[in-house]
Amino acid sequence: MKLFGLSAKDTRFLIIVILLTMFTPILLQPFPEGSALATFNAGYPDLMQRIAIFGIFAIGFNILFGLTGYLSFGHAAFLGIGSYTVVWMYKLLDYNVIWGLPLAVITSGLFALLIGYVSLRRSGIYFSILTLAFAQMSYNLAYSVLTPITNGETGLQVYPSDAQVLMGATEPTSPHLFGIVLRENFWQPTIGGWQFTFNNGYYFTAIIAIVLFYLSLRIFRSPFGLMLRAIKTNQTRLNYTGINTRPYTLAAFVISGMYAGLAGGLMAAMDPLSGAERMQWTASGEVVLMVILGGAGTLMGPVLGAGFIKYLENIFSKINDSILHGWFGALPDGLENFIIGVSHFFVGKSWHLTSGLMFMLVVIFLPGGLVEGGARIRNLFRRGKSPKGADTAHPPAPVANAAEKEEF
Amino acid sequence: MGILEVKGVSKRFGGLQALNDVNLSVKENTVHAIIGPNGAGKSTLLNCFVGKLIPDSGSVMFNGQSVLGRKPHEINQMGIARVFQTPEIFTDLTVMENVMISCFARRDGSFRLHPFETVMHEKDIIEQAEQMLIDVNMIDKREMHAASLSRGDKRRLEMAMCLAQEPKLLLLDEPTAGMARADTNNTIDLLKEIKQKRDITMAIIEHDMHVVFSLAERITVLAQGTPLVEDTPDNIKGHPKVKEAYLGESA
Ligand SMILES: Nc1ncnc2c1ncn2[C@@H]1O[C@H](COP(=O)(O)OP(=O)(O)OP(=O)(O)O)[C@@H](O)[C@H]1O
Ligand SMILES: [Mg+2]
């Protein structure tokens, strides 16, 4: 089957992604309520929505970093701009996200055009530093000089005195899409011991994420995507082949900036606030980690990376002493205290250590990220199944090699 | 008037006069060889044609237009393609993708935003690239990563990429270095065949005299940044100055 101009293989892939996204509220809720492992359930709206939003951020970032190899350390600036734009639309018009989100794409796109135009005059580490400098400048401006626009330290939010000229008398007073309130759940069934939550905001974000994933898939398969990959490999050859690489990198930069802006806008759709800290360099660094952890330049990698980091952040940071005692209570006291003492380094406030270790392990042993890990496991199974000697019967064709690297 | 007119080109690197008042005229639809000992300035001269270097003085005119001060991609779009001394290819891409990029560059120019078209659906481009790979005898390697090719194959691939652009002027910097004898002969045949099929001018740098004398119609001998003689292959063979500068040094 072929859909939307995709090959049969890509269509299958897209359908799997759609199914996974649609069933996430069930898939991330594998443990019954009240069981010892229920802490590891992640099927609650706030976390799922955060994963989808950072997934969008990472998918966009991957179009720049994964394809062209240009490593931006300033993409959080676009995240912040998207958020501010959406909150401003709440203040001026009303809480319907339909005004703010498209505008967030436009404003962040324009900013990306400006920042990209200047930063892309350099490559390598100088490019990274330039983007970092721009983002820190934006952060500082948002904090101080631009207080009338950003509300400085307090952060931008909606006040009763705001104009909200489109606000109807019966309209919801939190972000909504034509009356569908995003923070509300539309279905909360309890089946056996399991509890599932189906939330408006999650599905709204998830559908946008799927559309953006599809667009990135199209970009990967397009002549434009081919040029971007060529830039990463050998910019010199491209120039001597008559290609002007600058507009290509700039287009990739702007597209990834727009993805970031939309992600920032969606954060403000979850929670009608925006603060300068959203633009800080740590946020820029986070998306770099996500893409590398998942697998830069692959389609699925950024989403996996975003999911993993957000999961660790939310679940591991939640594990406190009483939960630990609950797990290890049956052990002899000395051992229990020892295990809990060691665990302290990895859970609760120290979850960063866990994510840091994971990141190091992946970069050292799986330079292709989690996606490469997945591919290796798949190959193991395949090899296990194939009859003995099959590997030597066919020469280890580099052809197969090339095809494999193309994987998602 | 040649298709490429080089007048009084000089280039200094610090204390080294790499090119010293070089005059050269390459006639349209000929194969012009530039030979000379190592370090004579041959590659430096080509660098001045493609925008990699700007000479300190002199002029380089292609088809009546100056190339100096233009960016490499602009010069390429004027119709000059170059095979480098150390192969410049897209090592992370497949052989087929390498050639397709050239086809896209020829059809779409230096930039075209086409994010929602699909490479797979570009029938014409695929056909051209496949034909090119058949011409250079590499069609069986189309899905291989360029990085895994042998040195000779990398060179052949780069040549295919340049030829796929159908340039007016093809610059070849030691195209057969690192090739086995059979591949060298194939390359000679390929270049002869291309030459017969369409209008193309070639400037070729080569140390392998078998290649030079099989292909060249004119030969310029360069030594220490200065052209010594320019003549037909037959006259060059016995020229005393050439023996002295070229063979004298290597003998
Ligand atoms: N970018 C550069 N900076 C400094 N010196 C250079 C540069 N490029 C070339 N040279 C020097 O200029 C001289 C001519 O070099 P060039 O590469 O043009 O020689 P060539 O004739 O191509 O030699 P070969 O046959 O070995 O390729 C050499 O002495 C080289 O070291
Ligand atoms: Mg040379």
Side-chain angles (χ1 to χ4, degrees):
Chain A
M1 186 173 53
K2 294 182 186 183
L3 279 180
F4 321 117
L6 295 178
S7 67
K9 199 173 158 202
D10 284 345
T11 307
R12 227 177 310 130
F13 180 47
L14 182 66
I15 290 173
I16 292 172
V17 169
I18 292 175
L19 290 178
L20 286 178
T21 318
M22 288 297 118
F23 288 104
T24 297
I26 299 168
L27 296 172
L28 288 187
Q29 204 73 349
F31 307 110
E33 224 43 47
S35 69
L37 292 174
T39 321
F40 290 108
N41 281 340
Y44 52 94
D46 184 74
L47 177 54
M48 290 189 299
Q49 212 166 327
R50 226 171 264 283
I51 290 175
I53 290 172
F54 276 89
I56 292 171
F57 190 16
I59 291 170
F61 190 76
N62 189 42
I63 292 172
L64 177 70
F65 172 57
L67 291 183
T68 71
Y70 276 79
L71 177 53
S72 161
F73 267 113
H75 263 51
F78 310 124
L79 204 67
I81 287 160
S83 285
Y84 282 126
T85 307
V86 167
V87 177
W88 263 110
M89 288 301 106
Y90 295 155
K91 289 164 83 74
L92 294 174
L93 304 175
D94 66 0
Y95 273 117
N96 194 340
V97 293
I98 200 73
W99 319 121
L101 289 178
L103 196 62
V105 176
I106 295 170
T107 50
S108 55
L110 289 175
F111 263 82
L113 192 65
L114 181 78
I115 295 182
Y117 183 79
V118 179
S119 307
L120 287 166
R121 314 207 134 244
R122 292 278 168 271
S123 60
I125 188 80
Y126 300 101
F127 166 79
S128 303
I129 300 287
L130 279 172
T131 52
L132 177 62
F134 266 113
Q136 283 306 89
M137 254 158 58
S138 313
Y139 166 69
N140 284 314
L141 286 177
Y143 233 113
S144 53
V145 185
L146 294 180
T147 301
I149 301 174
T150 60
N151 207 19
E153 260 180 84
T154 324
L156 195 63
Q157 46 187 295
V158 183
Y159 295 111
S161 57
D162 285 333
Q164 298 202 294
V165 293
L166 293 179
M167 192 74 172
T170 55
E171 206 181 303
T173 52
S174 74
H176 66 87
L177 180 72
F178 298 111
I180 303 170
V181 178
L182 295 180
R183 70 154 72 119
E184 281 174 6
N185 305 323
F186 62 88
W187 195 31
Q188 258 184 306
T190 306
I191 301 165
W194 282 267
Q195 222 175 58
F196 303 109
T197 312
F198 296 88
N199 172 273
N200 290 334
Y202 170 70
Y203 277 95
F204 176 65
T205 317
I207 289 167
I208 293 178
I210 288 170
V211 172
L212 293 178
F213 179 80
Y214 165 72
L215 292 182
S216 112
L217 180 58
R218 289 298 299 267
I219 289 174
F220 266 64
R221 302 289 184 247
S222 70
F224 174 68
L226 180 63
M227 291 301 173
L228 297 185
R229 286 194 291 139
I231 286 173
K232 184 177 185 175
T233 314
N234 190 343
Q235 212 167 138
T236 310
R237 175 29 89 195
L238 212 47
N239 284 326
Y240 290 104
T241 305
I243 298 290
N244 188 4
T245 49
R246 188 77 62 75
Y248 281 101
T249 45
L250 185 57
F253 193 91
V254 171
I255 292 171
S256 68
M258 289 161 112
Y259 270 73
L262 187 53
L266 286 167
M267 287 177 179
M270 260 180 89
D271 212 350
L273 306 165
S274 176
E277 68 289 342
R278 220 158 257 181
M279 297 178 143
Q280 225 176 346
W281 68 271
T282 45
S284 297
E286 196 177 11
V287 76
V288 178
L289 294 190
M290 286 172 175
V291 171
I292 293 177
L293 183 71
T298 65
L299 279 162
M300 218 33 209
V303 185
L304 284 181
F308 247 82
I309 290 192
K310 284 293 137 188
Y311 181 84
L312 285 182
E313 176 185 303
N314 282 268
I315 303 300
F316 275 65
S317 64
K318 219 171 52 179
I319 298 172
N320 53 27
D321 271 7
S322 65
I323 293 179
L324 288 174
H325 281 290
W327 288 345
F328 302 112
L331 298 172
D333 263 1
L335 190 59
E336 179 188 347
N337 287 338
F338 174 74
I339 290 181
I340 291 175
V342 171
S343 305
H344 274 160
F345 286 102
F346 298 98
V347 300
K349 288 200 176 82
S350 310
W351 75 273
H352 279 291
L353 191 62
T354 315
S355 71
L357 275 176
M358 257 198 64
F359 185 72
M360 275 161 45
L361 289 176
V362 165
V363 169
I364 293 168
F365 295 107
L366 291 173
L370 296 172
V371 167
E372 188 190 332
R376 281 200 199 169
I377 293 172
R378 222 172 336 127
N379 280 352
L380 271 184
F381 277 107
R382 243 181 241 160
R383 204 159 302 157
K385 268 184 207 160
S386 65
K388 257 191 188 167
D391 271 349
T392 43
H394 308 280
V399 178
N401 216 350
E404 243 158 53
K405 218 181 162 188
E406 253 270 55
E407 293 283 314
F408 318 109
Chain B
M1 265 299 270
I3 190 170
L4 184 73
E5 287 288 335
V6 181
K7 293 230 168 72
V9 164
S10 298
K11 180 77 198 174
R12 255 191 118 75
F13 295 118
L16 178 81
Q17 190 76 41
L19 294 174
N20 189 10
D21 193 24
V22 176
N23 293 297
L24 181 73
S25 173
V26 178
K27 299 269 170 308
E28 196 160 357
N29 293 330
T30 60
V31 179
H32 195 125
I34 300 167
I35 62 172
N38 289 111
K42 306 181 296 293
S43 298
T44 305
L45 187 60
L46 288 203
N47 288 345
C48 295
F49 301 164
V50 295
K52 193 171 180 183
L53 279 179
I54 299 178
D56 302 332
S57 59
S59 70
V60 179
M61 306 289 278
F62 174 69
N63 255 343
Q65 284 184 301
S66 174
V67 303
L68 300 185
R70 288 183 204 256
K71 300 225 173 70
H73 72 263
E74 293 168 339
I75 295 173
N76 176 278
Q77 292 285 351
M78 288 166 79
I80 303 181
R82 172 173 181 183
V83 174
F84 284 83
Q85 191 166 353
T86 38
E88 294 276 1
I89 54 174
F90 305 110
T91 45
D92 287 356
L93 306 184
T94 65
V95 167
M96 183 68 179
E97 284 171 333
N98 268 272
V99 181
M100 284 171 84
I101 286 175
S102 296
C103 299
F104 277 120
R106 185 166 72 95
R107 192 192 71 184
D108 298 340
S110 63
F111 173 69
R112 173 150 172 258
L113 193 59
H114 29 36
F116 299 123
E117 288 159 27
T118 305
V119 173
M120 252 180 19
H121 297 164
E122 302 275 1
K123 295 262 159 22
D124 295 351
I125 297 276
I126 292 173
E127 250 168 53
Q128 281 167 25
E130 276 176 347
Q131 189 53 51
M132 199 63 242
L133 286 176
I134 292 170
D135 288 351
V136 297
N137 244 326
M138 286 184 77
I139 191 72
D140 52 323
K141 303 189 170 109
R142 52 171 288 169
E143 294 307 323
M144 267 173 84
H145 267 118
S148 58
L149 293 176
S150 69
R151 190 152 167 243
D153 276 347
K154 281 183 180 151
R155 221 166 254 293
R156 249 183 330 161
L157 173 60
E158 194 183 15
M159 211 175 314
M161 291 159 74
C162 288
L163 289 172
Q165 293 200 286
E166 301 191 358
K168 293 196 197 87
L169 173 63
L170 178 62
L171 307 174
L172 299 141
D173 199 342
E174 303 190 21
T176 64
M179 276 189 192
R181 191 83 244 171
D183 282 340
T184 302
N185 288 333
N186 285 339
T187 305
I188 294 172
D189 292 343
L190 170 69
L191 291 174
K192 276 185 176 160
E193 206 182 297
I194 298 284
K195 188 81 205 338
Q196 272 168 7
K197 261 197 236 164
R198 61 172 103 108
D199 288 347
I200 187 167
T201 313
M202 299 184 194
I204 179 168
I205 294 176
E206 196 44 88
H207 286 294
D208 185 337
M209 287 305 133
H210 170 60
V211 178
V212 172
F213 290 117
S214 310
L215 288 167
E217 291 152 76
R218 298 288 293 180
I219 297 178
T220 296
V221 183
L222 203 66
Q224 293 173 356
T226 316
L228 290 180
V229 268
E230 190 200 310
D231 216 325
T232 59
D234 287 338
N235 291 341
I236 290 286
K237 267 180 197 161
H239 206 289
K241 259 188 172 175
V242 178
K243 278 194 175 147
E244 179 194 315
Y246 199 101
L247 306 171
E249 258 184 51
S250 62

